[in-house]
Amino acid sequence: MAAGQDQGTGSGQKYGCGGGRARGGRGPQGTCICSACGHQVPHQAGVPCREVKCPQCGGAMIRND
């Protein structure tokens, strides 16, 4: 092996990163709240709140845990 070359055994991945939730999601619980009128609807698993329109006013929804 030439000087300055290291053949480390690690894979470069750290365990514990990501908070324990797959792909950074927050899990199925929680509610979506309209940023315009405050109307609340239960969060649907697999559907980000930002993709849901408020059923009352059509405003953008945000996540509340």
Side-chain angles (χ1 to χ4, degrees):
M1 180 169 20
Q5 291 181 345
D6 182 16
Q7 292 195 344
T9 58
S11 65
Q13 296 177 347
K14 302 288 184 193
Y15 293 100
C17 294
R21 293 187 174 127
R23 292 176 293 196
R26 294 184 181 176
Q29 70 281 359
T31 56
C32 298
I33 301 176
C34 178
S35 59
C37 72
H39 181 71
Q40 297 184 14
V41 296
H43 172 72
Q44 296 178 0
V47 181
C49 289
R50 66 181 176 272
E51 293 181 4
V52 177
K53 297 294 181 189
C54 176
Q56 289 191 346
C57 73
M61 305 292 276
I62 58 174
R63 181 74 183 260
N64 183 28
D65 288 327

